[in-house]
Amino acid sequence: KKKTVSFSSMPNDRKINSTAACISLMLEGCELKKVRSNSRMYSRFFVLDADMRSVRWEPSKKDSEKAKIEIKSVKEVRVGKKTPVLRSNGLSDQFPDECAFSIIYGDNYESLDLVANSADVVSAWVMGLRYLVSYGKHSPEAPGTGHPSLRTSWISSVFDLADLEKSGRIPVSRAVQLIKALNPGMKTSTIELKFKELQKASERPGTEVACDLFVEAYCELCTRPEIFFLLVQFSSNKEYLGVKDLLMFLEVEQGMEGVTEEKCLEIVSKYEPSKEGREKGYLAIDGFTRYLLSADCSIFDPQHRKVCQDMAQPLSHYYISSAHSACLLEDNFWGRSDISGYISALGLGCRSIELVLWDGPEGEPVVYTSPSAASCVPFRAVVGLIDQHAFTASAYPLILCLVVRCSAPQQRLAAQCLRKTLGEKLYLEPPNPVASYLPSPEELKGRILIKGKKLPPTCEDSEGEVSDEEEGWELARRLGQEDREAPEGGGLRRLRLSRELSELVSLCQAVPFQDFESSRRGQHYWEMCSFSEVEAGRFANECPAELVSYNKRFLSRIYPSPMRIDASNMNPQDFWKCGCQMVAMNYQTPGLMMDLNAGWFRQNGACGYVLRPAIMREEVSYFSANAKDSLPGVPAQLLHLKVISGQNLPKPKGSGAKGEVVEPYVCAEIHGIPADCAEHRTKTALQSGDNPIFDESLEFQINLPELAVLRFVVLDDDYIGDEFIAQYTIPFECLQPGYRHVPLQSLAGEPLPHATLFVHVAITDRRGGGKGHRRGLAGRRGRRVREYTSTKATGIKAIDEVFRTATQPLREATDLRENVQNALVSFKELCGLTPAANMKQCILTVSTWLLHSDSAPSVTLNLAEQYPPMEAQGPIPDLLRKVLTAYETMIQTSRTLIESADAVYGKLIQAQQAGMDFHKELHRIETKEGLRGRKLQKALESFAWNITVLKGQADLLKHAKAEALDNLWQIHNAGQSCGIGRNGSASPEPSRLQAPLEPIPE
């Protein structure tokens, strides 16, 4: 009886767990749609011959000997829309990428383009064909025969250890626990059900299981088809990865650099469960799965797990993790003050804590934020706690924001308590009057700064009157303690401040905000303003550029609106995009906003400080926080995200009435500047059990990568009461490329054991800015007009003449970069790869075609030359000729870029520096030219735009040259490793030759 393999995701059905299962499906045959070059599709029945030497289809107008492809003639099997036919206009949107595949065959490299009903069927055909193509070459035994595999031997040895009585059988309960131990996270009920099914099918019921049944149950339960498919892709089509296979996977797919065979052997010895595999240096499916799930393969870049940013910049150049009412555990007015809230916030790397001081009943100040007097916490206890935990999670400075609501005598006690308890940690040195910026976090390591009001230098008494802050009065009204009404006429409230408390304030002196012009002219760098969420939101919408400029020198703190009586949180991104450093969050309130905050500050070693984007720090730069497109001088990037599957997803917490089955879907959200904010969702995985397959590709354009955050949210489409399953938030800059598992978290940010999403991440540059251009009707009708970034007129003749000298170098820089980019995309497409592929993958693909054919044309890479030509001997088929032409174009444009970049870069930097020479004199020149009001504002904006464009375009060119050199290195490296290189390895360092700049068509 022929074995049937189901590719359904139903939990009771069998899954792919070997190449034998794939070939079994191919031998049975199935219906696929055959796509013709005229874009029409025909349903045909495809089947693998019993001798496994040909694939046939019917019905066909051709005779049966012609309606077939011999396995030995297959050059390559491509997944997705990777041929001109599948990418053509009429078809692009008719079926998803993951349901298409192509067989490239014959000496003329023809393509048979096919569409299946599901990604599972595609996986089976592709896996089976790749196996047969490889084994047709190496002729081992047929799959599924011969001695037991590495895996079977290992599982049998595990069974033998558990068979204490050596009877050849073990109790079902022990077998269940064994599989559960080998695959943490799997439900006991799922394993028990599988044993019942297999016992029934084999007509061997009872309370014990034999070894063969245990092996079968393990393979069916613990084989993840999507990982097995991946392993077969890289494994020379054996059922394990050798050291060279693993090295190729890590370099080509995971983007790891400097991988050695020794490193690969370390991975094998750490993750391969079978002794034989470890001894031979083989990583089979179970070891590979363990490795992909491990911390060594995390989606989060390990570099960011420690402090990795420049910490010597002024304090105002960092985002600072800030807490609002840290001691609250529930909402603002019904919550209870609890001292553990401070420990929790400090443990999460929080570097700014708010303390509201009230008169205590015992003559000592207290901190409390709920209306119940019984729930107050003595100030002395809070300070003791801060002293103990201030630097456990981070060594960088902690800012205590004091909001004073107590009398002068109790203020003195508070000051004495701070001095006595914190001692040397308190930063009390007066600000340096000749400096222009605050000290750096590095200089202030291990110090505690007090943010608060300060008496004016003219006041010589033991206490004096200062303007009060608005923050905290909403609570005072609710507490019934507001005895100081706002003065008539709407002026600022006044506050009696003691000298002792005033003297503790040094670098964070709280002052009221008047307007941006007054701050520009009169505010000292050690003075800072607090803004309510409403006021800051108004500035962010009405004058974002001025708010960004203000935050270059001064710290600003944003606190939640007093109307948030439920302690909900504002969106910190609304203020980060304008450079506001301290956005005070209610740490006790979980949800989207707290996820963004926690995810954002996870980078840079979770030290509570994150360096702001360069465009927000440079003294002269143009940045509009509300930009709707790419920014001048910032390379836009494309994030290609494939959501493949989910593992061990829990039920939504609040869905008690629901059954066990969830129907999940994944939302991927980008949070950042408005131009970047986007959300895409996958389809719902119906009746999928705990391990759904999504297999869906999503794409995002990121215009300001340094400020973007990616958030995964898993939701239940068939929910009762609560749809939330899990989430994970990660800064865009911390993403690692390749195949990764996303460690899912609960709404409160706690890890969910063994719950993950399996994804593939690729990031490519969108050169030259602008929106990502879709392939399809519009993209194919004609050439896109190349857009050149240009400078803007300031209205000041001398300055405009300087910037005008950069017009030609700006055009040249764009041509150099885009010519290479377009040539690269054409070459990658002809190789059947996406724009996200790297050069090593392209060379390996071409070598695979050549090595999979006995009558292959002779094509070699001449590695003796610095720009290696790809040379062909004898006649070559049309597709290969096109590939060689595209390769030659790519090499020539890269050469031109490498050899011309320095000169063009020099001209751009020269123009930028000449413009900067005017900067210090700008206000004098404005006055002389009589510019004021809107004209003055426009001149300043244009000047900043020009400086930003010149520096940005110069940086893009420098980056493009480095990338072109890296591509040459990859060509040399791949040419040597795959066997088509000759004449050894020359250094890819180029000689300096000139070549004309001819535009390459889009």
Side-chain angles (χ1 to χ4, degrees):
K1 186 184 172 186
K2 199 176 281 181
K3 185 177 175 185
T4 306
V5 183
S6 164
F7 291 86
S8 156
S9 296
M10 289 289 283
N12 298 345
D13 287 337
R14 304 175 80 118
K15 291 185 177 181
I16 309 169
N17 56 37
S18 68
T19 34
C22 300
I23 289 163
S24 178
L25 174 116
M26 293 163 69
L27 287 165
E28 286 175 26
C30 70
E31 195 172 278
L32 300 169
K33 288 187 174 71
K34 184 168 176 266
V35 185
R36 298 281 293 276
S37 55
N38 60 6
S39 297
R40 297 181 68 177
M41 292 199 285
Y42 303 87
S43 282
R44 298 287 181 262
F45 188 81
F46 283 77
V47 66
L48 175 68
D49 273 357
D51 62 7
M52 294 192 274
R53 289 185 179 173
S54 305
V55 171
R56 298 178 182 274
W57 59 92
E58 55 188 38
S60 172
K61 289 177 185 172
K62 300 176 183 176
D63 65 57
S64 62
E65 282 308 299
K66 286 186 178 173
K68 70 171 187 179
I69 291 175
E70 289 190 354
I71 296 294
K72 69 179 182 185
S73 74
V74 175
K75 301 282 189 282
E76 185 194 357
V77 186
R78 296 179 185 175
V79 186
K81 301 171 193 173
K82 301 282 176 59
T83 62
V85 169
L86 290 177
R87 272 197 292 259
S88 66
N89 301 336
L91 291 171
S92 203
D93 298 325
Q94 286 189 29
F95 48 85
D97 194 66
E98 52 273 7
C99 286
F101 69 106
S102 304
I103 303 169
I104 312 295
Y105 67 98
D107 291 338
N108 291 323
Y109 292 77
E110 296 169 69
S111 73
L112 173 64
D113 299 298
L114 302 167
V115 178
N117 289 331
S118 74
D120 289 333
V121 174
V122 171
S123 296
W125 275 90
V126 171
M127 202 186 298
L129 283 166
R130 284 177 175 167
Y131 182 98
L132 292 171
V133 167
S134 176
Y135 276 173
K137 194 94 177 144
H138 303 115
S139 62
E141 324 100 43
T145 65
H147 67 275
S149 68
L150 267 181
R151 188 185 201 195
T152 309
S153 305
W154 166 67
I155 301 165
S156 302
S157 71
V158 170
F159 179 89
D160 292 342
L161 285 172
D163 181 11
L164 304 174
E165 296 80 20
K166 302 301 172 204
S167 62
R169 302 174 71 79
I170 62 171
V172 171
S173 57
R174 195 183 301 165
V176 169
Q177 289 310 311
L178 205 50
I179 288 181
K180 205 169 161 59
L182 293 169
N183 197 347
M186 188 172 283
K187 287 181 183 168
T188 304
S189 56
T190 307
I191 307 170
E192 288 172 343
L193 188 63
K194 177 57 65 182
F195 277 120
K196 278 181 188 169
E197 277 178 25
L198 293 177
Q199 284 180 320
K200 188 176 178 185
S202 62
E203 297 175 356
R204 288 188 286 175
T207 57
E208 292 187 322
V209 291
C211 184
D212 62 330
L213 202 123
F214 178 79
V215 170
E216 191 177 354
Y218 179 87
C219 289
E220 292 200 10
L221 286 166
C222 303
T223 305
R224 285 176 45 192
E226 70 277 24
I227 291 183
F228 186 70
F229 182 39
L230 184 60
L231 179 135
V232 171
Q233 270 182 275
F234 281 89
S235 71
S236 319
N237 305 78
K238 309 171 203 56
E239 296 203 1
Y240 54 79
L241 294 172
V243 168
K244 283 192 164 56
D245 299 330
L246 180 57
L247 191 140
M248 191 68 74
F249 170 74
L250 296 175
E251 279 195 343
V252 170
E253 204 55 68
Q254 302 298 85
M256 286 172 68
E257 293 176 0
V259 188
T260 60
E261 290 196 4
E262 289 72 31
K263 174 67 181 168
C264 294
L265 283 168
E266 274 177 38
I267 290 171
V268 171
S269 65
K270 188 172 178 182
Y271 296 104
E272 174 53 40
S274 73
K275 188 182 175 191
E276 186 189 352
R278 290 196 298 274
E279 285 169 355
K280 292 182 176 176
Y282 295 157
L283 194 64
I285 180 67
D286 299 289
F288 190 44
T289 305
R290 287 179 181 191
Y291 171 64
L292 288 173
L293 279 163
S294 73
D296 288 343
C297 199
S298 167
I299 190 169
F300 192 94
D301 187 342
Q303 282 189 316
H304 282 274
R305 294 196 187 283
K306 53 185 186 292
V307 175
C308 57
Q309 296 176 348
D310 177 8
M311 300 304 284
Q313 300 276 335
L315 211 57
S316 58
H317 286 184
Y318 298 85
Y319 296 111
I320 303 170
S321 180
S322 305
H324 186 230
S325 306
C327 66
L328 277 181
L329 292 185
E330 295 161 40
D331 65 55
N332 268 344
F333 298 108
W334 310 111
R336 56 193 181 84
S337 295
D338 186 299
I339 212 153
S340 65
Y342 290 108
I343 301 173
S344 170
L346 290 168
L348 291 168
C350 177
R351 296 289 84 196
S352 168
I353 283 181
E354 177 197 43
L355 300 174
V356 187
L357 274 64
W358 301 88
D359 280 332
E362 306 293 323
E364 271 193 52
V366 294
V367 174
Y368 68 92
T369 42
S370 96
S372 162
S375 67
C376 63
V377 180
F379 180 67
R380 189 182 300 279
V382 174
V383 175
L385 199 74
I386 289 169
D387 178 53
Q388 199 179 337
H389 296 277
F391 301 107
T392 50
S394 169
Y396 292 100
L398 174 67
I399 301 170
L400 297 184
C401 301
L402 296 189
V403 180
V404 178
R405 293 282 168 265
C406 61
S407 60
Q410 293 210 10
Q411 289 175 32
R412 290 189 194 99
L413 290 173
Q416 289 163 17
C417 173
L418 286 165
R419 276 185 189 271
K420 184 181 174 186
T421 311
L422 302 178
E424 291 295 307
K425 294 188 185 111
L426 266 185
Y427 186 88
L428 301 173
E429 295 156 38
N432 180 357
V434 296
S436 302
Y437 287 93
L438 287 160
S440 69
E442 192 61 43
E443 291 172 81
L444 296 169
K445 247 183 174 178
R447 307 303 290 273
I448 295 175
L449 280 57
I450 304 295
K451 178 246 171 191
K453 290 288 177 181
K454 198 165 179 71
L455 292 172
T458 51
C459 176
E460 295 176 359
D461 299 334
S462 62
E463 58 185 69
E465 207 169 70
V466 293
S467 61
D468 198 358
E469 295 189 77
E470 283 300 301
E471 198 173 356
W473 281 113
E474 184 67 22
L475 180 60
R477 278 196 286 277
R478 290 170 183 270
L479 288 165
Q481 291 193 10
E482 187 185 20
D483 54 359
R484 291 164 283 183
E485 288 299 322
E488 288 178 29
L492 293 166
R493 291 184 178 87
R494 307 299 289 173
L495 165 76
R496 296 295 295 175
L497 182 67
S498 80
R499 176 165 296 284
E500 284 94 327
L501 204 54
S502 169
E503 285 172 350
L504 298 183
V505 177
S506 168
L507 293 178
C508 298
Q509 184 179 331
V511 295
F513 179 77
Q514 293 172 314
D515 56 65
F516 291 114
E517 186 54 33
S518 302
S519 295
R520 187 165 75 92
R521 295 188 186 281
Q523 189 172 332
H524 298 107
Y525 71 81
W526 60 83
E527 294 174 331
M528 65 175 284
C529 300
S530 289
F531 301 89
S532 78
E533 168 190 355
V534 176
E535 186 183 20
R538 184 163 51 81
F539 291 146
N541 289 325
E542 293 174 10
C543 43
E546 286 175 273
L547 188 51
V548 169
S549 183
Y550 172 86
N551 284 321
K552 286 178 186 177
R553 275 191 70 208
F554 309 117
L555 285 176
S556 61
R557 180 174 179 274
I558 317 300
Y559 58 88
S561 161
M563 302 312 290
R564 292 185 182 274
I565 59 170
D566 58 350
S568 59
N569 276 307
M570 51 193 162
N571 186 343
Q573 283 276 5
D574 290 344
F575 307 105
W576 289 340
K577 71 181 184 186
C578 295
C580 299
Q581 299 88 349
M582 300 159 71
V583 182
M585 303 293 285
N586 288 306
Y587 270 57
Q588 71 277 17
T589 309
L592 164 62
M593 306 314 173
M594 202 56 217
D595 290 347
L596 293 177
N597 192 76
W600 180 250
F601 284 106
R602 205 174 278 136
Q603 63 184 309
N604 201 28
C607 74
Y609 284 83
V610 171
L611 190 61
R612 295 185 313 170
I615 200 167
M616 291 187 183
R617 304 191 313 262
E618 287 154 356
E619 194 175 354
V620 180
S621 63
Y622 178 86
F623 172 69
S624 172
N626 294 331
K628 295 286 188 287
D629 205 337
S630 55
L631 303 165
V634 178
Q637 297 191 308
L638 281 181
L639 169 63
H640 310 264
L641 185 67
K642 187 171 188 181
V643 182
I644 302 168
S645 60
Q647 291 74 46
N648 305 312
L649 300 180
K651 274 198 327 176
K653 260 193 172 171
S655 59
K658 216 176 123 65
E660 282 302 305
V661 177
V662 292
E663 296 191 344
Y665 63 96
V666 179
C667 271
E669 307 165 349
I670 292 287
H671 298 266
I673 60 170
D676 292 344
C677 291
E679 176 185 312
H680 296 311
R681 60 158 285 179
T682 66
K683 60 183 178 290
T684 301
L686 300 170
Q687 296 291 309
S688 61
D690 308 325
N691 303 299
I693 298 283
F694 301 104
D695 229 342
E696 204 154 337
S697 299
L698 314 172
E699 193 175 278
F700 299 89
Q701 175 162 319
I702 316 289
N703 295 290
L704 185 56
E706 289 171 280
L707 204 59
V709 176
L710 170 64
R711 182 173 185 253
F712 296 93
V713 196
V714 188
L715 300 165
D716 186 3
D717 214 3
D718 180 36
Y719 65 95
I720 299 172
D722 182 14
E723 61 177 341
F724 180 87
I725 295 172
Q727 63 84 24
Y728 182 73
T729 310
I730 180 171
F732 180 79
E733 298 278 279
C734 296
L735 283 171
Q736 289 219 92
Y739 289 92
R740 309 284 173 181
H741 281 91
V742 177
L744 294 172
Q745 298 178 339
S746 69
L747 192 62
E750 292 150 355
L752 293 169
H754 314 298
T756 54
L757 286 178
F758 187 44
V759 299
H760 182 265
V761 176
I763 297 163
T764 56
D765 286 353
R766 265 286 315 134
R767 297 266 189 245
K771 292 286 181 196
H773 291 275
R774 284 177 63 126
R775 289 277 174 206
L777 287 165
R780 290 289 185 188
R781 278 194 186 135
R783 291 184 184 180
R784 176 169 71 89
V785 177
R786 183 165 290 177
E787 294 169 9
Y788 293 97
T789 308
S790 58
T791 55
K792 294 181 178 179
T794 61
I796 302 167
K797 191 178 176 185
I799 294 177
D800 286 342
E801 279 176 6
V802 165
F803 288 132
R804 212 169 285 129
T805 63
T807 306
Q808 189 55 31
L810 280 172
R811 289 182 72 87
E812 285 179 27
T814 303
D815 285 338
L816 285 169
R817 289 187 295 103
E818 293 220 352
N819 286 355
V820 171
Q821 187 68 6
N822 295 334
L824 274 170
V825 169
S826 298
F827 178 55
K828 288 174 183 178
E829 282 194 353
L830 283 165
C831 291
L833 298 168
T834 66
N838 58 37
M839 188 51 59
K840 197 175 257 189
Q841 286 169 304
C842 297
I843 302 300
L844 293 175
T845 299
V846 173
S847 76
T848 306
W849 299 347
L850 301 171
L851 299 172
H852 274 172
S853 173
D854 298 325
S855 58
S858 175
V859 175
T860 54
L861 271 172
N862 185 355
L863 300 181
E865 299 198 23
Q866 288 160 331
Y867 298 94
M870 199 179 275
E871 299 161 345
Q873 279 77 44
I876 56 170
D878 188 42
L879 175 69
L880 206 52
R881 186 177 301 286
K882 285 179 181 173
V883 169
L884 294 189
T885 306
Y887 174 84
E888 183 59 28
T889 306
M890 187 260 306
I891 284 289
Q892 288 307 324
T893 53
S894 298
R895 180 176 187 160
T896 306
L897 166 67
I898 290 164
E899 293 168 357
S900 311
D902 290 352
V904 178
Y905 177 84
K907 289 177 190 172
L908 291 173
I909 291 298
Q910 191 179 349
Q912 190 236 0
Q913 287 171 346
M916 282 301 288
D917 290 342
F918 284 104
H919 178 239
K920 286 177 183 166
E921 298 292 306
L922 206 53
H923 286 292
R924 185 183 61 75
I925 297 169
E926 289 159 9
T927 311
K928 186 182 168 187
E929 296 276 335
L931 295 175
R932 58 174 63 87
R934 184 74 196 109
K935 279 189 177 177
L936 171 62
Q937 188 61 34
K938 193 149 183 14
L940 290 171
E941 270 186 21
S942 296
F943 182 82
W945 165 277
N946 294 344
I947 294 293
T948 307
V949 161
L950 290 172
K951 184 180 183 304
Q953 292 296 314
D955 286 347
L956 287 178
L957 188 59
K958 194 174 169 183
H959 176 72
K961 178 184 173 182
E963 207 166 69
L965 287 168
D966 183 61
N967 280 338
L968 288 182
W969 178 84
Q970 287 190 44
I971 290 168
H972 275 79
N973 191 299
Q976 284 178 304
S977 64
C978 69
I980 64 167
R982 63 182 176 85
N983 298 336
S985 170
S987 162
E989 272 305 313
S991 58
R992 298 189 60 75
L993 296 167
Q994 283 303 107
L997 291 180
E998 291 297 324
I1000 303 299
E1002 298 292 332

